[in-house]
């Protein structure tokens, strides 16, 4: 009997432990995760945003509340020793905190979207310090408030916007590429026109140096001379002066005599 009772007790203990493990694993933990920017820089006199978001396993309801507190990092400030509430949101309504922030803080979040962001305008140098964002969403009420270090600086102290530099560099590179492409097109067109002009010049020089074909001129002797006369054609006549006296003193006694009659039949 004792052995049987001991076996039953062991079984009950094991079954109870197994049930507890299942319950602990499957039951969601009641807690809330809150997130915010670790550091925010705002120019003095301008509007800045302190972002805050949360995650909760429970459905957001009218009982969800948001509390923003502030603790200064300046020893002579009123909020240096302990945090002070600067804004409180609950049941769809916002309530400003201390008079120093009254009229300068505004709730711009959306609880249904798990957004609990706060807007600060205008920012002052006295706002340098730590802002805490705490959200309660019953029964998720256990969570660590998110903290944001706010630095209010002059415009010269703000970091340069690298995006503008990158965009300018890209635009300059594209403009340079377009110029190179246009210049290349112009050069290619000029080279092509010069090549065509040189080709035409060389063809003209070759054609001018080539021997011109001789024209066959057919001379029609019959047509140029006209119809042949029926009678003989007199050829050239040669004249000579003859001395009949035989003496040297008779040089001037000459007469023309037909010496020869040359004709080509």
């Amino acid at each position: 009997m004792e052995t049987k009772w001991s076996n039953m007790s062991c079984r009950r203990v094991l079954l109870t432990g197994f049930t507890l493990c299942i319950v602990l694993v499957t039951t969601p933990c009641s807690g809330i995760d809150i997130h915010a920017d670790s550091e925010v820089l705002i120019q003095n006199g301008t509007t800045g945003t302190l972002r805050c978001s949360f995650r909760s396993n429970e459905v957001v309801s009218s009982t969800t509340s948001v509390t923003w507190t502030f603790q200064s990092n300046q020893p002579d400030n009123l909020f240096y020793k302990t945090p002070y509430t600067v804004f409180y949101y609950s049941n769809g309504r916002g309530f400003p905190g201390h008079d120093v922030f009254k009229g300068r803080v505004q709730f711009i979040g959306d609880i249904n979207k798990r957004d609990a962001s706060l807007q600060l305008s205008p920012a002052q140098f006295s706002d340098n310090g730590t802002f805490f964002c705490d959200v309660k969403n019953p029964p998720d009420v256990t969570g660590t408030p998110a903290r944001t270090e706010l630095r209010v600086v002059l415009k010269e102290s703000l970091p340069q916007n690298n995006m503008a530099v990158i965009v300018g560099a890209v635009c300059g590179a594209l403009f340079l590429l377009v110029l190179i492409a246009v210049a290349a097109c112009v050069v290619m067109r000029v080279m092509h026109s010069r090549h065509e002009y040189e080709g035409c010049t060389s063809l003209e020089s070759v054609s001018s140096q080539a021997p011109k074909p001789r024209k066959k001129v057919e001379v029609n002797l019959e047509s140029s001379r006209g119809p042949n006369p029926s009678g003989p054609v007199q050829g050239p006549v040669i004249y000579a002066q003859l001395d009949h006296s035989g003496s040297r003193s008779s040089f001037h006694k000459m007469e023309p005599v037909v010496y020869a009659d040359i004709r080509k039949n």
Side-chain angles (χ1 to χ4, degrees):
M1 291 292 294
E2 292 180 359
T3 305
K4 188 178 292 187
W5 279 105
S6 62
N7 291 333
M8 291 179 63
S9 300
C10 291
R11 290 178 181 177
R12 288 179 180 178
V13 171
L14 292 175
L15 182 60
T16 303
F18 182 73
T19 304
L20 289 174
C21 289
I22 293 176
V23 171
L24 291 175
V25 171
T26 57
T27 302
C29 297
S30 296
I32 187 170
D33 295 328
I34 308 171
H35 303 277
D37 297 332
S38 60
E39 185 180 28
V40 174
L41 271 71
I42 304 176
Q43 181 182 343
N44 182 39
T46 61
T47 301
T49 301
L50 304 175
R51 302 189 181 279
C52 179
S53 61
F54 63 94
R55 291 185 301 176
S56 176
N57 295 323
E58 299 296 330
V59 179
V60 175
S61 63
S62 60
T63 59
T64 304
S65 63
V66 178
T67 304
W68 279 91
T69 56
F70 170 71
Q71 185 175 6
S72 176
N73 58 7
Q74 303 174 11
D76 56 346
N77 193 284
L78 177 64
F79 311 109
Y80 178 71
K81 293 183 179 181
T82 57
Y84 282 80
T85 301
V86 296
F87 191 84
Y88 178 76
Y89 178 89
S90 179
N91 199 17
R93 297 176 59 187
F95 304 93
H98 201 276
D99 293 340
V100 175
F101 293 94
K102 187 175 294 185
R104 296 198 301 125
V105 291
Q106 182 181 1
F107 186 78
I108 59 172
D110 189 350
I111 293 298
N112 295 323
K113 296 181 180 179
R114 273 69 171 174
D115 187 3
S117 300
L118 190 71
Q119 186 180 75
L120 178 63
S121 177
Q124 302 174 0
F125 289 114
S126 59
D127 298 332
N128 283 303
T130 305
F131 284 82
F132 299 90
C133 176
D134 190 14
V135 181
K136 304 295 183 184
N137 187 31
D140 287 351
V141 294
T142 304
T144 303
R147 54 186 298 164
T148 299
E149 295 292 334
L150 177 63
R151 292 175 55 193
V152 181
V153 296
L154 295 174
K155 183 178 180 179
E156 293 78 10
S157 301
L158 292 174
Q160 296 293 332
N161 190 1
N162 295 329
M163 184 60 65
V165 177
I166 294 173
V167 172
V170 172
C171 293
L174 292 177
F175 182 71
L176 183 61
L177 289 176
V178 171
L179 287 180
I180 293 175
V182 172
C185 291
V186 172
V187 171
M188 291 178 64
R189 183 172 296 181
V190 171
M191 294 294 292
H192 184 69
S193 301
R194 184 178 298 177
H195 180 70
E196 290 182 352
Y197 177 76
E198 291 179 354
C200 294
T201 305
S202 60
L203 289 176
E204 291 178 358
S205 61
V206 170
S207 61
S208 62
Q209 293 178 1
K212 296 182 179 180
R214 296 180 180 180
K215 296 182 180 180
K216 295 183 179 179
V217 181
E218 296 180 357
V219 180
N220 191 347
L221 296 176
E222 295 180 357
S223 60
S224 62
R225 292 178 181 179
N228 291 331
S230 59
V233 178
Q234 183 179 359
V237 178
I238 299 175
Y239 295 90
Q241 293 180 352
L242 301 177
D243 187 2
H244 296 281
S245 61
S247 62
R248 298 179 178 178
S249 60
S250 61
F251 178 74
H252 296 285
K253 294 179 179 180
M254 298 180 183
E255 59 182 1
V257 178
V258 175
Y259 180 74
D261 185 4
I262 302 173
R263 180 182 178 184
K264 184 177 181 181
N265 295 326

